Amino acid sequence: MRDNLITFVRKYVDFSDEDLDLAQPYFTDIILKKGEFWVKEGEYNADVAFINKGMVRSYFIKEKVDITFDLTIENQIFSNTTSYSLDLPSSEYIQAIEDCDLCVITKVNLHFLYAQSPKWERLGRIIYENYTVLQEMRVRSFISETAKERYEILSKTKPELIRRTPQIYLANYLGITPQSLSRLRREITR
């Protein structure tokens, strides 16, 4: 386990060195090159990945158009929730939009850790609860906020996403066209 993953998990649960040593053999380092897919629609991948470096986007395709619904950067976790939670093939694509250095654990090994250590199980629950809250907040933002408000909130809470995400994906994530995003940025800088 890398130092930033250790820092991440200790942010949520007070892990001892022994707790971390227990998990060490179950994590694997994986490199995902820019443009490579973690999973494609119809494939199965229930592994959980922590991003040491890089960025991925999660999207689905509707009427031949990519719809980006999540962007994940360093010191965050991602997984294909359809495969992980429901044991079904993916209904989405997860693709690296930068070279990624990942620390990965399989669902089987994670569940083994849950059975061996209440602290690891607690971490899983906390992370899943946080993910659920963030997804609910995102849905609410699309119902109650304008694109400009969503952009302004994102630039305050996650400026790295604004800076690093290619405009086409950022616009899509905000639910607007790239042209609308350009106009919005011009309007804000005035």
Side-chain angles (χ1 to χ4, degrees), residues 49-129:
F50 176 82
I51 302 179
N52 291 305
K53 185 175 184 321
M55 180 180 203
V56 298
R57 76 176 179 120
S58 301
Y59 68 97
F60 60 91
I61 298 175
K62 182 176 180 180
E63 298 172 5
K64 299 182 181 180
V65 176
D66 293 6
I67 313 274
T68 301
F69 66 88
D70 205 2
L71 299 164
T72 311
I73 60 173
E74 288 90 9
N75 301 314
Q76 295 179 334
I77 288 177
F78 72 90
S79 183
N80 175 257
T81 54
T82 305
S83 294
Y84 183 86
S85 296
L86 303 176
D87 261 343
L88 295 172
S90 178
S91 58
E92 67 196 50
Y93 296 81
I94 301 177
Q95 182 182 34
I97 55 177
E98 295 176 359
D99 288 345
C100 292
D101 175 6
L102 308 174
C103 194
V104 178
I105 187 167
T106 66
K107 179 180 178 178
V108 169
N109 285 336
L110 186 56
H111 282 255
F112 174 77
L113 281 177
Y114 289 169
Q116 299 299 309
S117 167
K119 288 183 180 181
W120 280 101
E121 187 171 38
R122 182 166 182 250
L123 175 70
R125 180 181 49 80
I126 291 168
I127 289 173
Y128 202 78
E129 287 171 356

Side-chain angles (χ1 to χ4, degrees), residues 122-143:
R122 182 166 182 250
L123 175 70
R125 180 181 49 80
I126 291 168
I127 289 173
Y128 202 78
E129 287 171 356
N130 287 345
Y131 175 79
T132 302
V133 168
L134 290 173
Q135 293 308 312
E136 182 180 317
M137 290 170 59
R138 182 153 161 73
V139 169
R140 284 181 186 214
S141 77
F142 272 87
I143 294 168

Side-chain angles (χ1 to χ4, degrees), residues 167-168 170-172 174-183:
Q167 182 164 321
I168 190 166
L170 183 60
N172 197 262
L174 292 167
I176 58 179
T177 65
Q179 297 81 3
S180 295
L181 178 58
S182 292
R183 280 193 300 275

